[in-house]
Amino acid sequence: MPDTHDSAAAHGASEGDRHGIHATLNLTRRSFMATGAGAAIAATARIPPARAAPTGIPFGGAIQFEYFDDRPYRQAFLDHCDIVMPMNELKFGLLQRERGQFDFSRSDTLVDFARDNGKASRGHAFLWHSTNPPWVDALNDERDTESVVIDHIERVADHYRGRLASWDVVNEVIAHEPREAGGPLRDTIWRRNLGPRYIPLAFETAARADPDALLVINDYDLEFAGDRYDARRAVMLDLVRQLQDGGLHVDAVGCQAHLYAHFKVDVDALARFKEELEGMGVAFIVTELDVIDFQIRGGVEEQDAAATVVVSDLLDGVLSGRPPLAVVAWGITDRYSWVDDAMPHEDGKPSRPLPLDVDLRPKPWYDAMKARLLAAS
Ligand code: 9MR
C-alpha cells in the first residue's frame, strides 16, 4: 500500500518547494532511456478504442482469493462488474515466492472466474516496491536484477497473453513526496539496482511479451488539490513524455483514486492533467477506487454524504474530455477492504469504502456513479 497514505496531509509542501520540481527531476534522458534491452517500440502513440461503448464506461472490481468461497461476495462481482481483476494474486511475491518457481494457481482461479462469466480482467502489477519476496529484496547486482525483471515480466505476461486486457506495468514509482531529496522517483529495490531505467525496461519487456495488452503506469494521489498533488501530476506527465521520447508505448495512466473523504479533489487540475495526457495519445483509467472516511465524524449518513461529494468530484474531472477506459473499485463490499486495517476510525466505527455495504446493499454514491458511467458512453 502507499507507505505514508495516512500522513498525506503532513506532507503539505512549502511554497518554496514548488519551484524545485524540475530541479530535482533526475531522470536525465540518458539515464532513463538506457534500457539496453533490445529494439525500441514504434513511437506512434495509440489511444485505445473505448471498450463496450454501447453500454457505457466499463465498471470493475478487484476480487480477493482469500474470500472467494464467500458465494454472495463472488456473486456481487458478477452482478455489478464488467471487469473482475485479481487484487493481490498477480503481485510479484505471490507469483514467484521462490526464484524461478511460478505459482499461477490463485491468480488463474480469479482470472478464469472472470472470463468464464463473460467478464474482462486486468493485471496488477508487474513491478512494485511492496509485496516482493525476500529474495527480490536481497538482490544487489545490476545485471542480475535486470534479468529478474525481464524473466518475471516475460513469464507472467506470456502466461496471461490474450486473457488480460491491460497491465499495470509499474505501480507507485513516484515518491510519496516527489520534491524531497531523493525524488521524484520512489526508492525501491528496482531503482536502487537499475536506476530509473527500470521503468522503460519494464514497459519494453511488457510490450514485447504481450503486444495486445494495454500498458498502464499506475499511481496514487493524482487527484487532490494541493502542491504535492500538482507535483505528482507533473512528474507523471514527465515520466510518460520520457517513455514516449524513448519510443515506448504508454497506453494509459492509472489513477488509483483512493479517495480521502475529507480531502478536496481538484476537478480542474484533474481535467487538465487528463487533457494533457490525451494530447500525448495516452488514455486514463481509474484503477483502485475506494473511499477513506476515517476523518468523517457522525454516522453512516455523514460518511455516505462525504463519499458522494468526493466520488462525484472525481467523476467530474475524469469524465471531462475522452471517456476513461474504465473505473475499477478496489473491492466490491465493505466486508473486505484494506481501508479499516490501514486507517481505522479512532472510535472503532466501521469505514464505508466500497460500492456495496457489508450486506451488499449499494451505496447512494455507487448508484449515482453507475448512472454517470452508463450515460457517458
Ligand atoms: O488492498 C491490497 C491489500 O489487500 C494488500 O494486503 C496490500 C499489499 O499487497 O495491497 C493492497 O492494495 C494496494 C495496491 O496493490 C496498490 N495501491 C494501494 C492498495 C492499497 O494499499
Side-chain angles (χ1 to χ4, degrees):
M1 71 185 191
D3 51 1
T4 40
H5 245 161
D6 48 346
S7 63
H11 281 78
S14 72
E15 186 63 20
D17 288 344
R18 191 196 307 212
H19 307 293
I21 299 171
H22 291 283
T24 58
L25 197 58
N26 59 1
L27 305 180
T28 63
R29 209 185 135 162
R30 198 147 169 236
S31 71
F32 191 63
M33 294 317 306
T35 70
I41 312 299
T44 334
R46 47 175 184 162
I47 285 206
R51 282 155 199 276
T55 52
I57 296 164
F59 173 73
I63 190 166
Q64 292 176 263
F65 182 81
E66 63 263 49
Y67 309 124
F68 194 64
D69 287 342
D70 175 344
R71 287 181 67 91
Y73 166 75
R74 217 159 71 195
Q75 186 59 38
F77 287 90
L78 301 183
D79 293 343
H80 293 275
C81 299
D82 309 300
I83 300 166
V84 181
M85 63 175 288
M87 178 182 289
N88 295 311
E89 294 70 12
L90 290 167
K91 289 173 181 173
F92 204 120
L94 279 93
L95 288 179
Q96 200 185 167
R97 196 173 299 277
E98 301 298 335
R99 188 165 181 169
Q101 290 171 26
F102 288 79
D103 177 2
F104 294 108
S105 55
R106 281 165 295 217
S107 46
D108 277 352
T109 299
L110 301 181
V111 172
D112 289 347
F113 169 70
R115 289 175 54 82
D116 291 348
N117 288 285
K119 310 292 182 184
S121 195
R122 60 183 313 273
H124 171 86
F126 287 133
L127 298 186
W128 191 25
H129 61 274
S130 172
T131 320
N132 287 326
W135 68 267
V136 161
D137 287 331
L139 290 169
N140 58 14
D141 176 81
E142 181 177 354
R143 290 292 149 211
D144 197 28
T145 307
E146 181 174 314
S147 74
V148 166
V149 166
I150 294 173
D151 184 54
H152 181 81
I153 296 177
E154 280 181 348
R155 291 280 297 272
V156 176
D158 187 53
H159 183 82
Y160 284 106
R161 191 181 308 145
R163 294 199 281 161
L164 298 175
S166 60
W167 267 105
D168 294 334
V169 177
V170 291
N171 186 40
E172 301 177 0
V173 300
I174 301 173
H176 183 74
E177 169 47 278
R179 297 162 299 175
E180 270 175 3
L185 292 185
R186 183 183 295 275
D187 177 31
T188 70
I189 190 67
W190 313 116
R191 181 183 143 186
R192 231 169 291 150
N193 292 355
L194 293 172
R197 76 181 179 92
Y198 85 86
I199 300 171
L201 175 67
F203 270 88
E204 182 173 354
T205 309
R208 208 176 42 234
D210 188 350
D212 293 330
L214 300 180
L215 303 184
V216 178
I217 180 166
N218 195 44
D219 223 308
Y220 67 95
D221 280 357
L222 296 173
E223 59 286 272
F224 300 115
D227 291 350
R228 186 171 69 83
Y229 308 99
D230 288 339
R232 291 178 64 81
R233 287 184 283 269
V235 173
M236 181 58 92
L237 290 170
D238 263 334
L239 284 170
V240 171
R241 213 170 277 126
Q242 291 189 53
L243 285 164
Q244 290 188 335
D245 283 353
L248 295 165
H249 282 309
V250 179
D251 290 297
V253 163
C255 170
Q256 291 185 358
H258 294 294
L259 299 179
Y260 292 91
H262 63 295
F263 278 14
K264 182 93 196 87
V265 169
D266 191 333
V267 177
D268 292 341
L270 182 56
R272 273 197 310 275
F273 175 57
K274 195 165 163 269
E275 198 181 314
E276 287 209 53
L277 290 169
E278 278 160 23
M280 294 192 272
V282 175
F284 200 84
I285 175 168
V286 175
T287 50
E288 305 183 16
L289 175 69
D290 54 21
V291 177
I292 300 167
D293 65 10
F294 70 112
Q295 291 284 8
I296 304 300
R297 305 284 161 248
V300 167
E301 213 172 298
E302 285 77 11
Q303 286 171 281
D304 286 356
T308 298
V309 171
V310 79
V311 173
S312 156
D313 287 350
L314 178 87
L315 290 176
D316 286 349
V318 164
L319 296 179
S320 80
R322 280 177 188 256
L325 296 179
V327 172
V328 180
W330 209 234
I332 195 71
T333 154
D334 295 344
R335 272 184 205 183
Y336 312 117
S337 165
W338 69 289
V339 169
D340 249 340
D341 293 337
M343 285 167 274
H345 285 258
E346 261 174 22
D347 61 3
K349 174 177 69 188
S351 299
R352 290 174 62 81
L354 288 162
L356 312 180
D357 70 12
V358 285
D359 297 317
L360 306 175
R361 283 183 307 236
K363 310 270 178 66
W365 67 261
Y366 171 62
D367 287 336
M369 179 181 75
K370 258 301 183 63
R372 289 184 73 177
L373 297 184
L374 270 172
S377 54

